[in-house]
Amino acid sequence: QVQLIESGGGLVQAGGSLRLSCAASGRTISSSGMGWFRQAPGKEREFAAAINWNGGHLYYADSVKGRFTISRVNAKNTVYLQMNSLKPEDTAVYYCAAVRGFSATKDADVYEYWGQGTPVTVSS
């Protein structure tokens, strides 16, 4: 069993930056693909970014490409999402998730473990 705890969310002005962290406990995630998803108020959850087990493969939603960077430090059992040039449309609850396998994926149905989420609000 893996527990995922997100942190780093908050209120930021448009154009600002935040770094989200996802700390895992219970077992190592060093062999797991990891992803970040988000859900805006009144909308369905959507994919934001994903990283495979060793950081060699990264995937981004078109809406965040060039602004967000996903990374991981397996020695710390932690995954990060650096968010720059934030826009009001980035406002959402951000969730971290872990795949049982090595690969990264945009498909939320493949993720087995999910965190509780951390809210991000971008003011205009």
Side-chain angles (χ1 to χ4, degrees):
Q1 189 76 7
V2 175
Q3 291 80 44
L4 302 174
I5 300 177
E6 303 94 337
S7 61
L11 174 64
V12 64
Q13 288 188 331
S17 298
L18 285 174
R19 188 176 83 152
L20 306 183
S21 298
C22 172
S25 63
R27 68 166 177 84
T28 179
I29 57 169
S30 61
S31 59
S32 297
M34 300 293 295
W36 287 96
F37 292 78
R38 66 185 185 181
Q39 187 167 18
K43 295 187 176 181
E44 293 190 352
R45 182 177 56 192
E46 65 175 8
F47 168 76
I51 186 169
N52 76 327
W53 71 281
N54 67 354
H57 294 279
L58 309 177
Y59 300 96
Y60 296 98
D62 288 342
S63 58
V64 308
K65 199 172 295 183
R67 300 187 299 119
F68 290 11
T69 302
I70 188 170
S71 63
R72 64 190 301 159
V73 178
N74 285 341
K76 294 185 176 182
N77 230 22
T78 301
V79 177
Y80 303 96
L81 186 67
Q82 178 67 45
M83 307 188 296
N84 298 329
S85 302
L86 283 161
K87 305 175 181 180
E89 50 264 43
D90 294 318
T91 294
V93 177
Y94 284 72
Y95 298 90
C96 170
V99 180
R100 184 179 283 273
F102 292 98
S103 300
T105 176
K106 301 178 181 182
D107 185 356
D109 291 339
V110 180
Y111 287 83
E112 183 169 9
Y113 303 105
W114 292 82
Q116 294 299 307
T118 184
V120 171
T121 302
V122 184
S123 63
S124 58

